[in-house]
Amino acid sequence: MITKQQYVEYLICTIGNYTSSHLAEHLDEVSHDVVTDYLRSEHLTARGLWDLVERLIEDGPDAFMLVDDSVQDKRYSHFIELVKLQYSGAEHGLVRGIGIVNLVHSAGSQKDFYPIDYRIYAPEQDGKTKNEHFSEMVINAVYAKKIKAQRILFDSWYASAENLKLVHRLGLIFFTTLKSNRMVSLSKEGGWIHLNEIDWTTERLKNGVMVKLKEVPFKVQLFKVVATDGNIDWVITNCPDETLTTQAAQEASDVRWQIEELHRGLKQLTGTEKCQCRKGRSQRNHIACCYHAWLSLKVKAKALGKTLYQTKDDLLSDYL
């Protein structure tokens, strides 16, 4: 038999090949069936991740929570459970894969961040949408995990009226983006208009404008953030600070990039996409071990003063 520790150590050390047969080749008296039996019989969940991370996060009112999803690309796998056709931001289109909704805790820009919860998107198994996973994780973070972070960041996919109302009721300050086709109202007399129909004066470009969203009972502050390449982000927040500027809103929103770093690191350093087991339980256990492997690399990298990529590359460099 093998242990979770052995499997996690394998994920940390292997380069490119994350299959059960490859692991079996490097353990004495362990067959491919032993590895697959381990993955099929365990019941690892996001709770185990929180038990490891709880003591590491730098929590406080100035901290952030970040929510986003990632698709583990399985486009060439036709017999793996949990795989479904879904939109991938990385591919800018539909791809067959396993979706994961992540909740990350961040101490702030240029500071430490750690995943504190995640959910496998499998509507055929549990009937839950990504937005339902979003609400469950946020509520659990506030009431069960007692997270003190006051700001939460997410993209337009999760900016539904129901999610905005939930976050507002929880006393959290959100920074999120709107899709360009979203309708807003500046006044009762003006009715509903598209974002680009707003008269963006110099004052509004600098400090934003208060608007009303359909089915949202409170007003939000809207900012037009123009990138150097001309792309426009429509950022909204329920922050009560009326002196908030577009630059400050953009800086807060930019912290969300850390969750993209997590997604990339999980795929490139721990092989979340590489497990070839067909059973959904095996895929769930593999993914759980990948989070543990990422966390182990993160802790070691911080102690060494290096990046996660340097820390893993050093293993191969020592061998060479």
Side-chain angles (χ1 to χ4, degrees):
M1 62 177 293
I2 68 169
T3 64
K4 178 186 176 184
Q5 179 177 335
Q6 287 176 308
Y7 193 81
V8 170
E9 288 174 347
Y10 167 68
L11 295 177
I12 293 172
C13 296
T14 187
I15 306 295
N17 193 334
Y18 295 87
T19 62
S20 298
S21 56
H22 189 242
L23 170 56
E25 290 173 4
H26 294 83
L27 285 178
D28 293 335
E29 299 180 359
V30 171
S31 66
H32 168 270
D33 290 342
V34 170
V35 180
T36 55
D37 286 347
Y38 165 76
L39 289 176
R40 193 165 49 239
S41 61
E42 282 288 330
H43 193 83
L44 306 176
T45 67
R47 174 66 197 189
L49 174 65
W50 170 244
D51 290 340
L52 296 170
V53 169
E54 183 176 7
R55 61 184 176 82
L56 300 176
I57 63 174
E58 300 175 39
D59 195 23
D62 292 333
F64 295 81
M65 286 190 287
L66 323 173
V67 182
D68 201 1
D69 56 84
S70 173
V71 178
Q72 315 310 301
D73 194 332
K74 302 281 189 180
R75 69 182 71 188
Y76 303 114
S77 304
H78 301 287
F79 304 103
I80 294 179
E81 296 176 4
L82 304 180
V83 172
K84 69 185 303 293
L85 190 66
Q86 53 197 299
Y87 180 82
S88 169
E91 297 293 330
H92 302 289
L94 295 175
V95 65
R96 284 176 53 80
I98 298 176
I100 306 176
V101 185
N102 284 296
L103 176 62
V104 170
H105 182 281
S106 169
S109 179
Q110 307 302 318
K111 295 183 179 180
D112 281 338
F113 61 92
Y114 296 94
I116 60 174
D117 203 352
Y118 69 87
R119 295 288 188 273
I120 305 296
Y121 174 53
E124 289 81 3
Q125 281 72 36
D126 56 28
K128 295 180 181 179
T129 65
K130 289 181 180 179
N131 282 309
E132 287 173 324
H133 288 307
F134 171 96
S135 60
E136 286 182 4
M137 288 195 296
V138 174
I139 291 172
N140 182 267
V142 172
Y143 292 117
K145 294 182 173 68
K146 307 296 182 183
I147 297 296
K148 299 176 182 177
Q150 288 294 298
R151 291 170 288 183
I152 182 168
L153 314 177
F154 45 93
D155 66 14
S156 58
W157 181 273
Y158 298 99
S160 67
E162 289 304 316
N163 285 345
L164 297 181
K165 289 187 286 187
L166 168 67
V167 170
H168 194 72
R169 286 198 303 270
L170 292 173
L172 300 175
I173 297 172
F174 60 74
F175 288 86
T176 185
T177 54
L178 295 180
K179 293 182 179 178
S180 58
N181 61 353
R182 196 79 171 253
M183 303 287 284
V184 299
S185 174
L186 277 68
S187 65
K188 290 183 178 179
E189 297 77 19
W192 299 101
I193 60 175
H194 285 288
L195 299 172
N196 55 10
E197 293 179 314
I198 297 174
D199 181 15
W200 286 99
T201 63
T202 302
E203 173 65 20
R204 286 175 173 175
L205 286 173
K206 180 181 179 182
N207 298 310
V209 59
M210 297 299 295
V211 300
K212 183 81 168 56
L213 297 175
K214 285 187 177 180
E215 300 180 4
V216 177
F218 52 88
K219 286 190 173 183
V220 297
Q221 197 166 359
L222 170 67
F223 301 92
K224 182 180 182 179
V225 179
V226 183
T228 54
D229 60 2
N231 286 336
I232 297 175
D233 278 338
W234 305 99
V235 178
I236 59 168
T237 180
N238 62 336
C239 179
D241 183 2
E242 297 181 357
T243 65
L244 191 69
T245 64
T246 300
Q247 181 178 351
Q250 182 178 7
E251 289 173 353
S253 297
D254 285 347
V255 177
R256 191 165 58 86
W257 179 251
Q258 291 176 333
I259 201 168
E260 299 296 341
E261 292 185 41
L262 170 70
H263 293 164
R264 185 172 64 250
L266 282 168
K267 291 178 180 180
Q268 296 179 352
L269 299 175
T270 72
T272 50
E273 297 178 318
K274 303 297 184 180
C275 179
Q276 297 178 2
C277 294
R278 294 186 177 184
K279 292 295 183 181
R281 172 46 54 192
S282 300
Q283 290 289 338
R284 289 177 184 272
N285 288 328
H286 169 78
I287 290 170
C289 288
C290 287
Y291 279 92
H292 192 161
W294 183 94
L295 183 60
S296 298
L297 283 169
K298 173 84 169 182
V299 171
K300 190 64 175 179
K302 184 176 180 181
L304 295 173
K306 298 181 178 181
T307 68
L308 276 72
Y309 290 87
Q310 289 172 331
T311 303
K312 179 148 186 172
D313 287 345
D314 283 350
L315 297 172
L316 183 59
S317 296
D318 290 342
Y319 164 75
L320 290 174

